[in-house]
Amino acid sequence: MSVESLSALDRSTLRERSLEALRSAILSGRYRPGDHLGEVELAGSLGVSRGTVREALRHLQQEGLVTAGNRGMLRVNSLSSAEVHELFRVRAALEGLAVREVIASPRREAAAETLRTAVERLSDEGEPAARMEADLAFHLLLCRLSGNSMLVEAWQRLEGRMRVAILNGAAWQAPMMARDRHVPIVEAIERGDVEAAVRVVDEHMAGAAEHFARATESS
Amino acid sequence: MSVESLSALDRSTLRERSLEALRSAILSGRYRPGDHLGEVELAGSLGVSRGTVREALRHLQQEGLVTAGNRGMLRVNSLSSAEVHELFRVRAALEGLAVREVIASPRREAAAETLRTAVERLSDEGEPAARMEADLAFHLLLCRLSGNSMLVEAWQRLEGRMRVAILNGAAWQAPMMARDRHVPIVEAIERGDVEAAVRVVDEHMAGAAEHFARATESS
DNA sequence: GGGGGGAACACTGTCGACAGTCGGCACGAC
DNA sequence: GTCGTGCCGACTGTCGACAGTGTTCCCCCC
């Protein structure tokens, strides 16, 4: 089995490894928003050819972590506070659909239970990065449980930008990541209360948008 | 001035032209769903190098027109009827947000007027392809008028898949594209009736989903 | 006639190199 | 001092070639 996973690791292409390396470099803050990402330089530091890093950069561009500037030159993306608000409103719409579908699903009971265990993994303390991961994992799980693959895909397309937004408000207190903020969502789903669930999601997102937009402005 | 516009045309890269060519080739049905798209063959027929067509294909993959199969080989995508339903539910959520934001916007009056003129361009007759374009243009305009750039982006990410779905139900009667189906949306926005607008959008999308899902199944 | 081995093929992954273009800099004319 | 101009460096766009790997098909052996 470990051979299997090892061979799976070996099977991962250079492009995928470069993509992962670049993504974590950006998300870890090693490259600051606005920094220019030159193909030659990155190819040299990653030990791959320009074409390979080029594909990884294009993927990052689609994810929204990187944006095109003058003459096709790429730089690390950053979001204005207005864009943060827009982003979270779209997210609210998508997750609102997710809770609707979860509640309408015949597997609602099982889904609620899965969410209940997931919400327990949300911790009020610890590394900010780890808390962010747990938070995003919870919301992604919510989308997945809707069984709507298009919804999952659309949400994931927003994920990169969300990470940028969260990154901008780096030293945040993160009251939005607290478990208390997520429990009501699960409870509303358990009760099958569509209106309450959607309202809670909306409020959750509005609060998060407000918080991160402020953090963006002050940076 | 004419020099200016010409140089702008020349500025379009080979990658963009290849992308456009491939996209229209797929959308026009020249390549059928499931067809294998080999890099070498396409590079030869387009008169560009493999790297260039490769980038175009990757872009198409992000758009959802092309999907990866065995060993990274790409083929023209197709949607199951279940995915068509999922797709239109996500679209309904996004456009529901769009009408909310348009109505809540201080520029509601102007937006409604713009939509009123756009809806006039929807024709009940003529080329199916042209009608599809007009329909998509109307809905894209709706998203744009919301002023939410993230919403526009998310919608456009779905656009490729929508075209695939519509393409699958090729010989359709297209009652969903009729002007009558769109006028109520505009009227609800003009009245500022959020509930009605969202409900109309939902019904519009549900009807379209049902129609195209059936067309997908029968093909 | 059927099955196994191997060679040829058809792909994609990856790379290094050349060409075009844009921005900055120094230099000279006015 | 300021403007125009030509050079230089940097960066991306594009290309052709090589390598690795499944896949397929043919031939030989049983």
Side-chain angles (χ1 to χ4, degrees):
Chain A
M1 187 180 72
S2 83
V3 176
E4 181 58 35
S5 65
L6 272 185
S7 83
L9 282 181
D10 288 346
R11 197 173 298 266
S12 81
T13 63
L14 280 182
R15 190 190 89 236
E16 290 165 15
R17 267 177 288 183
S18 305
L19 177 59
E20 199 53 45
L22 282 176
R23 186 157 35 205
S24 73
I26 294 176
L27 259 25
S28 74
R30 190 163 141 212
Y31 294 110
R32 294 308 184 101
D35 277 6
H36 167 56
L37 296 175
E39 294 177 358
V40 259
E41 178 194 338
L42 293 177
S45 74
L46 288 173
V48 296
S49 96
R50 257 190 63 213
T52 304
V53 69
R54 187 189 181 84
E55 282 202 58
L57 283 173
R58 281 268 139 64
H59 202 108
L60 257 40
Q61 189 180 0
Q62 295 292 330
E63 286 184 26
L65 267 67
V66 160
T67 188
N70 202 356
R71 225 173 71 229
M73 295 171 87
L74 299 177
R75 45 182 221 278
V76 178
N77 200 3
S78 65
L79 268 59
S80 69
S81 66
E83 285 173 321
V84 171
H85 271 112
E86 294 173 3
L87 174 62
F88 278 92
R89 282 206 298 272
V90 175
R91 212 184 133 181
L94 290 179
E95 298 199 20
L97 173 62
V99 296
R100 277 178 218 272
E101 302 214 341
V102 166
I103 291 178
S105 156
R107 311 178 58 85
R108 192 190 86 201
E109 306 271 338
E113 194 167 344
T114 308
L115 284 171
R116 175 64 77 175
T117 61
V119 88
E120 295 303 324
R121 274 197 279 279
L122 292 174
S123 129
D124 294 341
E125 293 140 15
E127 276 296 313
R131 292 210 312 238
M132 178 186 84
E133 287 305 324
D135 179 77
L136 288 177
F138 173 83
H139 289 279
L140 176 57
L141 178 64
L142 176 64
C143 292
R144 273 199 216 282
L145 287 173
S146 76
N148 187 328
S149 62
M150 294 290 160
L151 171 58
V152 173
E153 224 168 279
W155 191 92
Q156 286 180 313
R157 289 251 151 76
L158 260 43
E159 189 178 357
R161 290 187 159 80
M162 282 187 266
R163 295 185 123 100
V164 170
I166 296 175
L167 198 65
N168 278 4
W172 78 97
Q173 307 292 353
M176 352 271 23
M177 310 248 162
R179 190 184 306 163
D180 297 347
R181 293 291 193 129
H182 295 84
V183 169
I185 300 177
V186 181
E187 284 174 349
I189 291 176
E190 283 171 342
R191 292 199 313 271
D193 188 341
V194 174
E195 295 307 318
V198 171
R199 192 175 57 246
V200 169
V201 168
D202 274 345
E203 287 167 4
H204 184 63
M205 289 300 146
E210 191 60 36
H211 178 82
F212 289 116
R214 248 204 306 270
T216 299
E217 274 172 3
S218 69
S219 76
Chain B
M1 186 179 70
S2 81
V3 175
E4 182 59 35
S5 66
L6 273 184
S7 81
L9 282 180
D10 287 346
R11 198 175 299 265
S12 83
T13 63
L14 280 182
R15 190 190 88 236
E16 289 166 14
R17 267 178 286 182
S18 305
L19 178 59
E20 200 53 44
L22 282 175
R23 186 159 33 205
S24 75
I26 293 176
L27 260 24
S28 74
R30 189 162 142 213
Y31 294 110
R32 295 307 184 101
D35 277 5
H36 167 57
L37 297 175
E39 294 177 358
V40 219
E41 178 194 339
L42 293 177
S45 75
L46 288 173
V48 295
S49 96
R50 262 189 60 214
T52 305
V53 69
R54 187 190 181 84
E55 282 202 58
L57 283 173
R58 283 266 137 70
H59 202 106
L60 257 41
Q61 188 180 0
Q62 295 291 330
E63 285 184 27
L65 267 68
V66 159
T67 186
N70 201 357
R71 228 172 67 228
M73 295 171 90
L74 298 177
R75 44 182 223 276
V76 178
N77 201 5
S78 65
L79 267 59
S80 70
S81 66
E83 285 172 321
V84 171
H85 272 113
E86 293 173 3
L87 174 62
F88 277 91
R89 282 206 298 272
V90 175
R91 213 185 132 181
L94 290 180
E95 299 199 19
L97 174 62
V99 296
R100 276 178 219 272
E101 303 215 341
V102 167
I103 291 178
S105 157
R107 312 178 57 86
R108 193 192 86 201
E109 306 271 338
E113 194 168 343
T114 308
L115 285 170
R116 175 64 77 175
T117 61
V119 87
E120 294 303 323
R121 273 198 278 278
L122 292 173
S123 130
D124 294 342
E125 293 139 16
E127 277 295 314
R131 292 208 313 237
M132 179 186 83
E133 288 303 324
D135 178 77
L136 288 177
F138 174 83
H139 289 278
L140 176 56
L141 179 64
L142 176 63
C143 293
R144 273 198 216 283
L145 288 174
S146 75
N148 187 327
S149 62
M150 294 291 159
L151 171 58
V152 173
E153 223 168 280
W155 191 91
Q156 285 180 314
R157 289 252 153 75
L158 260 41
E159 189 177 357
R161 289 188 159 79
M162 283 186 266
R163 296 185 122 101
V164 170
I166 297 174
L167 196 66
N168 278 4
W172 77 98
Q173 308 291 354
M176 353 270 26
M177 310 248 163
R179 190 183 306 162
D180 297 347
R181 292 291 192 128
H182 294 86
V183 169
I185 300 177
V186 181
E187 286 173 349
I189 291 175
E190 284 171 341
R191 291 198 314 272
D193 188 342
V194 173
E195 295 308 317
V198 171
R199 191 174 59 248
V200 169
V201 167
D202 273 345
E203 287 167 4
H204 184 62
M205 289 302 146
E210 191 60 36
H211 178 83
F212 289 117
R214 248 204 307 270
T216 299
E217 274 171 3
S218 68
S219 76

